[in-house]
Amino acid sequence: YQVGSFVGDSWKEWNGRFRDDARSFFRGQDSSVTRFADRLVGSPQIYGHENREVEQTVNFVTCHDGFTLNDLVSYNIKHNEANGEDNRDGSNDNLSWNCGVEGPTDDPSVEKLRNRQVKNFLTVTMMSLGVPMILMGDEVRHTQNGNNNAYCLDNDTSWFDWTLITKHAGLHRFVKLLIARRRLREVEHEQRRVSLNQLISEANKAWHGTKLGQPDWGDHSHSVAFTAEIKEEKMLLHIILNAYWEPLDFELPPVENGGKNPWLRWIDTALDSPNDIIEWQASPPVPNHTYRAAPHSVVVLWRNTSSG
């Protein structure tokens, strides 16, 4: 069975290729940018032949089976010794990256990178077209100590640790604001919610690299950006994804009206809380015509195109 081939219009599919391609991109794997870009916009290479709505794809990076999100960025290999099968059980192909140290560490630079990677994965899961799915505990970096097959353990390996809400309060805040913004506005007469996801799916989209209109789809590319023109909301959304190991300067689409409506920074996963995600209407302006994206980061900018 291949994702995208399931028969039946009422079914939604867990998109395992979203999981694999997002993991590959953010760990800096070659030949991943083109596949990852397709996953961002609803995986048309997978579902386009069906002319289906973008909600056909259920986008996820982690689930009940495999590494937690914390462990995905903390371990290069599985550690299933506690399962009693001499570490033979569980998948060996996890597409994980430990950010330089295997397992827990007190190194602040490694921990900062891991926290950034967690936010990267959560941001693309929530912003990509489709239905997002997040594993319980990922919002506060729940760990199974590298165990990717913990179904047999009824202990604190898989139990939810409520103290993590305080320990990782900044990440918890980040996820709450990220989820809240999927409901963009209320449509009073129709009594329904219009989501940012819905509007992006209908928007005019353009791909970029560090130069406007010049995306690099090469095998050694590790960055991409795209702009979505959401006419219904008189808004532009600009998303920068830099999985490269150095900072990159990205050109921004020009601002009209004499700079009256500048680009505003909503998300920059490289910044510390609370600057990593801002309340939507309090987003600070971007002063330049370029934006420097830190290594291994996701940036989301927006601006109002209304002339009023």
Side-chain angles (χ1 to χ4, degrees):
Y1 168 74
Q2 292 184 337
V3 173
S5 62
F6 196 84
V7 177
D9 288 347
S10 297
W11 294 93
K12 314 302 178 189
E13 290 183 288
W14 282 23
N15 191 345
R17 288 174 61 181
F18 182 98
R19 171 200 61 208
D20 295 346
D21 293 333
R23 291 183 179 193
S24 296
F25 177 77
F26 280 115
R27 73 174 188 160
Q29 186 172 313
D30 283 348
S31 305
S32 61
V33 66
T34 301
R35 298 193 310 273
F36 177 61
D38 189 72
R39 304 299 161 260
L40 288 173
V41 292
S43 297
Q45 291 179 357
I46 299 175
Y47 300 107
H49 66 285
E50 297 180 336
N51 293 318
R52 298 294 302 278
E53 66 281 358
V54 294
E55 286 76 14
Q56 172 72 0
T57 171
V58 177
N59 299 327
F60 69 102
V61 175
T62 56
C63 64
H64 68 284
D65 186 16
F67 277 150
T68 67
L69 192 51
N70 176 83
D71 293 357
L72 183 68
V73 302
S74 302
Y75 296 89
N76 281 351
I77 59 175
K78 66 184 182 182
H79 295 267
N80 295 0
E81 291 81 5
N83 299 348
E85 298 186 37
D86 296 323
N87 208 35
R88 294 189 302 267
D89 64 311
S91 174
N92 294 312
D93 185 19
N94 297 289
L95 298 173
S96 60
W97 176 43
N98 65 15
C99 298
V101 177
E102 187 74 358
T105 181
D106 294 327
D107 187 325
S109 63
V110 174
E111 269 299 285
K112 187 170 184 176
L113 177 55
R114 288 177 177 176
N115 209 47
R116 185 185 307 179
Q117 288 283 77
V118 166
K119 290 185 288 185
N120 290 342
F121 283 120
L122 291 167
T123 300
V124 298
T125 299
M126 293 303 299
M127 294 295 294
S128 296
L129 300 185
V131 178
M133 184 177 78
I134 297 175
L135 175 65
M136 182 191 74
D138 280 352
E139 73 280 10
V140 289
R141 289 188 59 179
H142 169 71
T143 179
Q144 294 179 169
N145 303 309
N147 195 318
N148 72 354
N149 196 35
Y151 76 99
C152 59
L153 302 178
D154 185 12
N155 55 33
D156 56 7
T157 301
S158 52
W159 296 343
F160 188 88
D161 181 356
W162 290 97
T163 66
L164 292 175
I165 295 177
T166 301
K167 181 178 180 181
H168 295 292
L171 178 61
H172 189 238
R173 170 189 174 273
F174 183 92
V175 176
K176 288 195 296 183
L177 288 178
L178 189 60
I179 292 174
R181 200 54 200 165
R182 278 184 67 87
R183 189 190 75 181
L184 188 62
R185 62 186 175 90
E186 298 281 357
V187 181
E188 297 179 359
H189 300 298
E190 299 179 15
Q191 293 299 306
R192 65 181 179 90
R193 293 173 178 176
V194 175
S195 71
L196 189 61
N197 189 266
Q198 288 172 274
L199 293 173
I200 293 175
S201 69
E202 300 166 1
N204 295 325
K205 293 177 273 294
W207 292 103
H208 315 285
T210 55
K211 301 292 185 181
L212 285 177
Q214 299 178 38
D216 182 356
W217 303 120
D219 290 342
H220 302 297
S221 173
H222 300 286
S223 66
V224 70
F226 78 92
T227 307
E229 181 186 9
I230 305 174
K231 292 184 177 181
E232 185 175 352
E233 292 295 314
K234 296 183 178 179
M235 182 177 73
L236 286 175
L237 199 67
H238 191 73
I239 301 177
I240 298 169
L241 304 113
N242 182 22
Y244 196 50
W245 42 89
E246 293 182 3
L248 296 175
D249 293 320
F250 287 80
E251 289 183 351
L252 301 180
V255 175
E256 299 85 10
N257 299 329
K260 178 181 178 182
N261 297 323
W263 286 104
L264 306 173
R265 189 193 78 238
W266 178 38
I267 293 173
D268 186 336
T269 61
L271 300 178
D272 294 330
S273 182
N275 294 315
D276 51 359
I277 185 169
I278 307 295
E279 293 279 357
W280 185 262
Q281 295 301 333
S283 301
V286 176
N288 302 314
H289 301 299
T290 62
Y291 194 97
R292 171 157 286 199
H296 312 292
S297 70
V298 174
V299 176
V300 183
L301 312 176
W302 71 280
R303 74 178 189 88
N304 189 339
T305 60
S306 173
S307 58

